């Protein structure tokens, strides 16, 4: 059974105003705004990803673990612009400050044991002291990163941190992070398969026909947001870290369409030639003026080297323009007889 990805979205959550208000009252920057989706900057290239904001859900299934007779299914909920809202009556939601939350369903393949539900905080900002865990966003252009998107050449990669599972365990908990590859795709808005809905669609798998499931499988490739992998990797200092890797195809990740993106970071030959020419002329005039002042005690126009020539430049240009004008108009003699 290959991993299967489906996606949907919920209405935008209310903002978590308490952390932001506290930070403003204390004169400190808001930790929840450590990553600004409106201005994502990588190598002096700016991307505006605000159109991708809002809570989106991506479903993903791991390969069944036949040795332990168990299978894990995940609902990954993420909002790149705001913290997710924790439902007051929910017993399985992630803590406040979470940007990316996983709800893991552990299903037993044999026996009649019930499935268990477990929330996993993957990325977010938690706490305000020196031990606080923050998003700590790492942003790179896609072609400069170690992307798992083999065909991705243009876009931006965002790496978000702060998660841990179990959440309240400092020493034994497994660090979590998310790597999102925003891939340039001019044909996609990035919301394909993630259209906003006023309420959550509650589909009952037992009542859906085989044809409906086949159609859903066929439409999986149309989703702009996909799960690439969710697995344990080697982190810094030989620490183990579990990484959720997402691929998000959107036109908002195209460098040439990014607002305020520089056209080129290199100057051409003629630009350098003009700069060097003016620097050389300035050096010549300054050195020549200094020499005339110290050697001849010159003042005013006499300070400049070849001052007489420089003074005559307007007259020389005027004569040249008059000569060109006469040449263009022509000075031939009139034919016929003239009156005596």
């Amino acid at each position: 059974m290959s991993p299967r990805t489906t996606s949907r979205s919920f209405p935008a959550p209310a903002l978590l105003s308490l952390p932001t208000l506290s930070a403003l009252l204390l004169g400190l920057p808001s930790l929840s705004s450590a990553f600004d989706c409106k201005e994502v900057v990588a190598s002096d290239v700016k991307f505006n990803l605000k159109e991708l904001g809002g809570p989106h859900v991506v479903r993903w299934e791991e390969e069944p673990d036949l040795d332990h007779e168990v299978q894990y299914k995940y609902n990954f909920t993420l909002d790149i612009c705001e913290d997710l809202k924790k439902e007051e009556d929910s017993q399985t939601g992630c803590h406040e400050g979470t940007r990316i939350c996983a709800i893991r369903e552990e299903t037993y393949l044999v026996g009649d044991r019930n499935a268990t539900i477990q929330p996993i905080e993957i990325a977010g900002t938690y706490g305000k002291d020196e031990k606080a865990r923050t998003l700590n966003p790492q942003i790179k252009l896609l072609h400069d990163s170690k992307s798992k998107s083999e065909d991705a050449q243009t876009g931006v990669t965002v790496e978000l941190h702060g998660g841990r599972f179990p959440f309240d365990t400092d020493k034994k908990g497994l660090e979590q992070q998310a790597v999102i590859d925003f891939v340039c795709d001019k044909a996609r808005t990035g919301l394909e398969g993630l259209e906003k809905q006023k309420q959550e669609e509650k589909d009952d798998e037992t009542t859906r026909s085989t044809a409906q499931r086949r159609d859903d499988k066929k439409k999986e490739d149309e989703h702009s947001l996909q799960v690439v992998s969710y697995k344990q990797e080697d982190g810094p200092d030989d620490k183990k870290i579990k990484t959720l890797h997402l691929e998000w195809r959107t036109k908002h990740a195209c460098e040439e369409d990014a607002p305020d993106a520089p056209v080129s970071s290199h100057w051409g030959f003629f630009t350098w030639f003009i700069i060097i020419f003016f620097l050389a002329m300035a050096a010549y005039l300054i050195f020549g003026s200094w020499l005339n002042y110290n050697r001849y005690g010159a003042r005013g126009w006499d300070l400049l080297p070849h001052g007489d020539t420089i003074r005559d430049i307007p007259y020389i240009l005027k004569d040249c323009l008059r000569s060109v004008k006469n040449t263009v108009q022509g000075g031939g003699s009139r034919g016929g007889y003239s009156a005596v």
Side-chain angles (χ1 to χ4, degrees):
M1 179 176 177
S2 59
R4 184 164 61 90
T5 303
T6 57
S7 56
R8 59 185 178 180
S9 64
F10 296 105
L15 297 178
L16 297 177
S17 58
L18 288 180
T20 304
L21 181 59
S22 300
L24 291 174
L25 292 176
L26 294 174
L28 299 174
S30 172
L31 293 176
S32 63
S33 61
F35 175 72
D36 185 2
C37 65
K38 297 179 182 179
E39 190 173 358
V40 180
V41 183
S43 299
D44 296 328
V45 181
K46 294 182 181 180
F47 300 87
N48 190 338
L49 305 178
K50 67 177 181 179
E51 298 298 329
L52 304 180
H56 304 298
V57 176
V58 186
R59 292 177 177 175
W60 187 70
E61 298 178 0
E62 281 187 355
E63 292 284 352
D65 186 349
L66 301 180
D67 294 335
H68 298 85
E69 300 177 342
V70 69
Q71 183 181 20
Y72 293 112
K73 300 179 182 179
Y74 295 88
N75 280 0
F76 297 105
T77 305
L78 70 154
D79 188 341
I80 62 172
C81 294
E82 300 290 344
D83 295 340
L84 296 172
K85 178 177 174 57
K86 178 177 172 61
E87 299 294 339
E88 295 181 359
D89 58 347
S90 174
Q91 301 299 320
T92 58
C94 292
H95 289 75
E96 290 187 355
T98 300
R99 289 284 183 98
I100 303 178
C101 174
I103 302 299
R104 185 182 70 182
E105 179 182 355
E106 185 177 0
T107 305
Y108 300 97
L109 302 179
V110 296
D112 55 357
R113 290 183 294 176
N114 294 329
T116 59
I117 304 297
Q118 180 69 54
I120 302 175
E121 288 80 5
I122 294 179
T125 298
Y126 312 100
K128 300 178 181 179
D129 55 15
E130 66 277 2
K131 295 182 179 179
R133 305 202 303 269
T134 65
L135 282 173
N136 187 25
Q138 307 294 323
I139 305 172
K140 296 180 181 179
L141 291 179
L142 197 56
H143 52 70
D144 294 335
S145 66
K146 298 179 180 178
S147 171
K148 296 181 178 64
S149 304
E150 296 179 357
D151 60 338
Q153 298 296 327
T154 306
V156 62
T157 294
V158 177
E159 183 177 302
L160 302 176
H161 308 84
R164 181 184 289 129
F165 180 73
F167 180 79
D168 295 322
T169 303
D170 293 335
K171 296 182 179 180
K172 296 182 180 180
L174 181 62
E175 298 291 334
Q176 306 281 320
Q177 70 176 9
V179 177
I180 309 175
D181 287 341
F182 294 93
V183 182
C184 173
D185 190 335
K186 295 184 178 180
R188 293 176 179 264
T189 64
L191 299 178
E192 288 78 7
L194 296 172
E195 289 80 6
K196 298 295 178 68
Q197 301 176 358
K198 294 183 179 180
Q199 60 181 6
E200 178 183 359
E201 295 180 357
K202 298 182 179 179
D203 296 330
D204 187 355
E205 292 290 338
T206 60
T207 61
R208 299 173 66 220
S209 65
T210 303
Q212 288 175 320
R213 295 175 185 175
R214 189 183 304 114
D215 290 340
D216 288 345
K217 180 66 176 177
K218 184 178 180 181
K219 291 179 180 179
E220 284 182 7
D221 293 337
E222 299 176 2
H223 297 149
S224 294
L225 179 59
Q226 297 279 345
V227 176
V228 177
S229 64
Y230 180 50
K231 61 183 180 180
Q232 186 170 300
E233 299 178 348
D234 293 329
D237 301 328
D238 296 329
K239 292 176 60 178
K240 296 296 182 181
I241 186 169
K242 196 157 188 180
T243 302
L244 169 64
H245 195 103
L246 301 170
E247 180 183 278
W248 203 332
R249 294 185 172 271
T250 173
K251 64 182 181 180
H252 301 294
C254 298
E255 292 185 27
E256 58 270 27
D257 295 334
D260 302 328
V263 177
S264 175
S265 59
H266 301 285
W267 289 348
F269 168 77
F270 289 103
T271 303
W272 281 111
F273 175 79
I274 293 173
I275 292 175
I276 294 174
F277 174 78
F278 277 104
L279 289 177
M281 289 297 298
Y284 171 74
L285 292 175
I286 293 172
F287 177 75
S289 299
W290 175 84
L291 190 64
N292 288 338
Y293 175 80
N294 287 277
R295 180 175 294 180
Y296 306 110
R299 298 290 188 276
W301 278 101
D302 295 333
L303 275 173
L304 297 177
H306 306 288
D308 294 338
T309 303
I310 295 175
R311 241 188 335 249
D312 292 338
I313 286 178
Y315 304 102
I316 295 174
L317 290 176
K318 185 176 181 180
D319 291 340
C320 290
L321 292 175
R322 184 183 296 109
S323 176
V324 171
K325 180 180 179 181
N326 292 335
T327 302
V328 172
Q329 292 180 348
S333 60
R334 294 184 300 170
Y337 297 96
S338 59
V340 179

